[in-house]
Amino acid sequence: YSFHLKTYGCQMNVSDSSIVRSVLLSSTSPKFHEVEDSSNADISLTNTCAIRENAETKVWNRMYSLRASEKNKPSTSPKQIIALLGCMSERLKTSVFSDSKASIDVVCGPDAYA
């Protein structure tokens, strides 16, 4: 499977993204590889910050954009899995699932990466 990982926020988020990347790349079943462009990814992961100014707005816009970009794909293409990671997901928890426009598939807080 291919994945794309975008990081917003502080140095801790950068470190957490390194952990997530390492876990995925070391997996043998299933096997993962990283891609540069989120539109080419089977899984799009966004590591978030809830502290920095305007960070949540940027993340929501990214979530909407990721899901909207699927409309340009052939109907036979599998749906991209969209995952929200980090402190924003920890704070909002399952309430993110109520936003049908974002259509987030996975929510994972920082304590669940390993």
Side-chain angles (χ1 to χ4, degrees), residues 57-105:
T57 301
K58 288 178 186 176
V59 170
W60 281 116
N61 287 337
R62 176 171 169 75
M63 297 295 102
Y64 300 147
S65 174
L66 287 169
R67 194 52 81 202
S69 70
E70 289 203 313
K71 293 177 182 170
N72 298 329
K73 292 183 178 181
S75 60
T76 55
S77 294
K79 179 183 168 196
Q80 183 180 60
I81 296 170
I82 296 178
L84 184 66
L85 313 176
C87 55
M88 180 177 157
S89 65
E90 183 77 19
R91 186 178 71 73
L92 296 174
K93 296 185 170 62
T94 58
S95 68
V96 300
F97 295 129
S98 63
D99 189 329
S100 61
K101 189 173 158 189
S103 192
I104 296 167
D105 300 302

Side-chain angles (χ1 to χ4, degrees), residues 5-22 34 46-49 52 85-87 110 113:
L5 178 58
K6 175 79 173 170
T7 305
Y8 291 92
C10 64
Q11 280 304 116
M12 184 61 90
N13 283 37
V14 173
S15 176
D16 286 350
S17 287
S18 292
I19 293 168
V20 170
R21 181 178 287 109
S22 177
E34 190 168 10
T46 303
N47 192 5
T48 64
C49 179
R52 299 272 175 133
L85 313 176
C87 55
Y113 299 154

